[in-house]
C-alpha cells in the first residue's frame, strides 16, 4: 500500500463556521495524479469537524440550529470550569460529528453525490487557522 500525505490551511470565523473544502480536495487529488484511492481527510484539533453536507443556505442554518439543541453555546460546561475557555460546546460538537471523513477517489475525482460537498466545520469561540491533513491510501 502507498500513502501520500498532504495538507492545507484554512482561516475560519469560528462559531460553527461551515466551509466547503471540496475544491481543495479535488486540487490535491489532481496535484498527486491520484486515480483510485481512499482519501482520509482530517482536521487537527478538538473543536472542529470534517463531514459532508449539501452546501446550500437552508442547511447552513439548519445544522447550527440542530447542534444548538445538542450542545447549546450559552450553557456552562464542566470543561469551562477546567479551563475557563468557554468552548465546552465546541468540544462536544466536534466529538459528536468527528474530525475526519473517508472519501473514495474514483476515476481521479472524489466520489460524491451531485448535492454532496466536503466541509470543515469550526465550532470554536474565536477565529482560527485550521490545518486539514489529507492522506491518500492506495
Ligand atoms: Zn476548550
Amino acid at each position: 500500500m502507498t500513502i501520500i500525505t498532504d495538507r492545507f490551511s484554512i482561516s475560519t470565523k469560528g462559531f460553527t463556521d461551515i466551509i466547503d473544502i471540496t475544491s481543495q480536495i479535488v486540487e490535491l487529488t489532481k496535484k498527486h495524479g491520484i486515480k483510485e484511492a481512499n482519501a482520509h481527510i482530517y482536521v487537527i484539533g478538538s473543536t472542529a469537524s470534517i463531514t459532508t453536507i449539501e452546501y446550500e443556505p437552508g442547511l447552513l442554518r439548519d445544522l447550527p440550529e440542530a447542534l444548538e439543541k445538542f450542545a447549546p453555546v450559552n450553557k456552562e460546561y464542566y470543561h469551562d470550569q477546567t479551563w475557563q475557555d468557554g468552548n465546552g460546546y465546541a468540544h462536544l460538537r466536534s466529538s459528536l460529528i468527528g474530525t475526519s471523513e473517508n472519501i473514495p477517489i474514483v476515476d481521479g475525482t472524489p466520489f460524491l453525490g451531485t448535492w454532496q460537498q466536503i466541509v470543515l466545520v469550526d465550532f470554536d469561540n474565536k477565529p482560527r487557522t485550521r490545518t486539514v491533513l489529507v492522506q491518500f491510501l492506495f
Side-chain angles (χ1 to χ4, degrees):
M1 190 174 70
T2 302
I3 301 177
I4 294 175
T5 303
D6 208 334
R7 68 192 73 195
F8 59 90
S9 293
I10 198 151
S11 294
T12 79
K13 298 191 202 80
F15 297 98
T16 311
D17 192 9
I18 306 170
I19 299 168
D20 185 353
I21 60 167
T22 309
S23 64
Q24 286 92 327
I25 305 305
V26 168
E27 277 175 32
L28 285 183
T29 304
K30 285 184 181 156
K31 171 185 168 186
H32 294 289
I34 307 290
K35 295 297 173 205
E36 308 288 326
N38 184 267
H40 186 72
I41 303 153
Y42 169 75
V43 61
I44 299 167
S46 60
T47 53
S49 289
I50 300 288
T51 188
T52 70
I53 200 167
E54 180 181 342
Y55 199 84
E56 58 85 17
L59 279 169
L60 297 184
R61 294 173 63 187
D62 289 329
L63 181 63
E65 270 192 29
L67 290 169
E68 185 64 21
K69 291 175 189 151
F70 168 73
V73 173
N74 292 318
K75 177 184 177 296
E76 174 125 356
Y77 295 91
Y78 298 116
H79 172 72
D80 301 325
Q81 293 172 9
T82 305
W83 297 117
Q84 285 81 43
D85 59 359
N87 66 356
Y89 75 95
H91 291 284
L92 292 174
R93 292 177 184 197
S94 172
S95 291
L96 177 74
I97 295 182
T99 54
S100 68
E101 279 289 337
N102 285 304
I103 304 290
I105 306 298
V106 180
D107 296 330
T109 193
F111 198 74
L112 295 165
T114 307
W115 309 111
Q116 182 183 22
Q117 283 79 40
I118 305 164
V119 292
L120 163 70
V121 190
D122 196 333
F123 301 112
D124 213 347
N125 57 358
K126 58 190 174 193
R128 299 283 304 259
T129 299
R130 297 293 186 175
T131 300
V132 177
L133 200 83
V134 182
Q135 286 195 315
F136 297 101
L137 296 90
F138 54 97

